[in-house]
Amino acid sequence: MFYIRADGNAAIGIGHIMRCLSIAEAVKETGAEEPVFLLADNICYNMVADRGFAAKVLGTDYRHMQSELEKLSTLLKKEDVILVDSYQVSIEYYKELGKLCKTVCLEDMGNAYPVDLLINYNIYAKQLWENYQQGSSPKKVLLGVEYMPLRKAFQNHAVYQVRDKVTDVMITTGGSDPCFAAGSIIEAIWKECIREDKNQTNKISVHIVSGPMNQYTAQLKALCAEKEFFIIYENVQNMEALIKKCDVVITAAGSTVYEVCAIGVPMICFYFAENQRQGAQALAGLTDIVNAGAFAEDKEQVVSNILQALNHCIYDRIYRERLSMQERTLVDGKGAVRLAEEIIKLQAL
């Protein structure tokens, strides 16, 4: 059996679940046995089930992974493979898990774990090679954006065409919005780019995605109720189409960054937490994308940086064309397939 151990909620977002679903679908398409998701609670149960996968709720606390090992010991067999995607893990957890079955780890921070296969698909991952060779090092390591498990919709698509004028801007904060960043960005764009444009030279519609774990959805709706051209989206079924509709995407530095890159829509990014910092900084280092900074640390400065970058995009098509080209060179969309192949190899050992 192939198991996937991941969680999602308002505190940690749904990025872990989403990228694991992409891997699960790639494994399924090979004709191999379909994976079973193992969840601490039922928060993301329907999300997994709606994508056609079986799930078991462990009834544990996602923050205390060590406590679930007893339950896993009754479920896992030596020939099984389990993929774990969590920031709550420890070296001790993986040592014990490795006694039960073969182990795969999705990792972002440069922490070496004693697993059979460690995957870090981030843009900065190859800089962490030496980290993974120290201490409790994994048996095999896969690093770099060639292993980014994009959702199927983003794996193959026509080349995005940069338009003459910016008429549609997207704001997304990921599955949640821990600092209500969207509210601050909306207010700033309304004041600086739309309401105070006396001559109405910029006919801009702003598309705001409220993720499934966003606790501020009601406030977003109230904030935009009287603002013409501001549109809120919930339960987006076709994110690819919405991204393609836009001329600029303002996004938190999570998995959405790679989806936007795969299409090639000019982007501005910011970040909430430490696990997003390295990605935002690496993206800005390799391209001309603006990393607006850490929202939780200085929201006024981050919003100011976003506005400045947005104005640059609005008034400079050549800049937008450059961003689009740079982004498309980063991600080829085949990462999920590559990971599925590696997992199937591990199962066969």
Side-chain angles (χ1 to χ4, degrees):
M1 289 285 294
F2 173 39
Y3 294 96
I4 295 177
R5 177 69 189 90
D7 295 302
N9 55 50
I12 62 174
I14 60 169
H16 300 287
I17 292 289
M18 295 304 292
R19 62 188 182 183
C20 286
L21 281 168
S22 295
I23 296 170
E25 288 177 342
V27 170
K28 180 179 178 178
E29 288 189 354
T30 68
E33 187 175 16
E34 293 185 22
V36 174
F37 280 74
L38 302 176
L39 313 171
D41 49 51
N42 62 6
I43 293 175
C44 287
Y45 182 90
N46 288 340
M47 186 179 298
V48 172
D50 288 346
R51 296 280 283 272
F53 294 101
K56 295 180 183 292
V57 175
L58 298 174
T60 56
D61 187 337
Y62 80 94
R63 295 166 296 184
H64 303 291
M65 301 281 284
Q66 203 80 7
S67 66
E68 71 190 33
L69 286 168
E70 185 176 351
K71 289 190 174 183
L72 292 179
S73 68
T74 65
L75 176 67
L76 300 172
K77 298 180 175 62
K78 274 291 184 182
E79 63 270 21
D80 294 337
V81 174
I82 186 169
L83 165 65
V84 180
D85 186 0
S86 172
Y87 294 136
Q88 315 304 320
V89 290
S90 64
I91 290 174
E92 291 71 25
Y93 173 84
Y94 278 119
K95 282 182 178 178
E96 293 302 313
L97 194 62
K99 296 175 183 177
L100 303 176
C101 66
K102 301 166 189 174
T103 52
V104 182
C105 168
L106 276 174
E107 207 285 318
D108 293 335
M109 304 297 292
N111 298 317
Y113 293 115
V115 295
D116 294 288
L117 176 62
L118 183 146
I119 303 155
N120 186 335
Y121 62 75
N122 288 284
I123 195 172
Y124 55 84
K126 293 180 181 179
Q127 301 170 17
L128 301 175
W129 170 257
E130 291 187 2
N131 293 44
Y132 297 128
Q133 307 309 307
Q134 301 174 10
S136 301
S137 59
K139 293 179 181 177
K140 185 173 183 178
V141 177
L142 302 176
L143 304 179
V145 291
E146 56 265 44
Y147 298 105
M148 167 61 202
L150 286 174
R151 287 183 278 179
K152 191 173 182 180
F154 295 90
Q155 293 175 15
N156 296 290
H157 49 78
V159 175
Y160 175 82
Q161 298 296 321
V162 174
R163 293 176 275 272
D164 290 337
K165 292 184 178 181
V166 172
T167 59
D168 294 89
V169 173
M170 178 176 167
I171 299 172
T172 175
T173 58
S176 61
D177 188 353
C179 305
F180 196 28
S184 298
I185 298 168
I186 287 166
E187 290 279 33
I189 292 176
W190 170 250
K191 180 180 178 182
E192 301 295 335
C193 298
I194 296 179
R195 190 182 66 190
E196 292 189 355
D197 185 5
K198 306 297 184 184
N199 298 320
Q200 294 185 332
T201 55
N202 298 317
K203 305 284 188 178
I204 296 175
S205 293
V206 182
H207 307 270
I208 305 111
V209 177
S210 181
M213 303 293 175
N214 191 346
Q215 60 186 317
Y216 295 108
T217 299
Q219 290 94 318
L220 277 176
K221 291 178 179 178
L223 183 62
C224 296
E226 297 181 359
K227 290 180 172 65
E228 192 178 5
F229 310 122
F230 283 71
I231 308 149
I232 296 173
Y233 299 80
E234 298 178 81
N235 303 312
V236 178
Q237 300 300 310
N238 192 342
M239 191 70 162
E240 180 200 18
L242 183 56
I243 291 173
K244 283 183 175 179
K245 175 183 176 67
C246 295
D247 303 292
V248 181
V249 173
I250 301 167
T251 179
S255 297
T256 303
V257 161
Y258 297 101
E259 294 178 345
V260 176
C261 280
I263 295 173
V265 181
M267 180 184 356
I268 301 161
C269 75
F270 63 96
Y271 61 96
F272 290 120
E274 179 63 19
N275 63 289
Q276 295 179 334
R277 176 186 60 82
Q278 292 183 86
Q281 291 179 345
L283 195 64
L286 291 173
T287 71
D288 292 307
I289 293 169
V290 169
N291 167 22
F295 192 90
E297 295 177 10
D298 191 347
K299 71 176 184 179
E300 287 81 10
Q301 185 60 55
V302 170
V303 171
S304 176
N305 292 342
I306 289 172
L307 280 179
Q308 184 176 356
L310 179 57
N311 278 318
H312 190 181
C313 287
I314 289 171
Y315 295 109
D316 191 342
R317 177 182 172 177
I318 293 176
Y319 172 61
R320 285 186 281 121
E321 288 177 338
R322 186 163 69 250
L323 291 183
S324 181
M325 179 187 67
Q326 291 172 342
E327 290 169 12
R328 290 198 306 271
T329 62
L330 293 177
V331 183
D332 69 3
K334 299 177 182 177
V337 174
R338 294 186 181 105
L339 293 182
E341 291 172 350
E342 292 290 339
I343 290 167
I344 290 169
K345 287 179 188 177
L346 183 59
Q347 286 179 300
L349 294 178

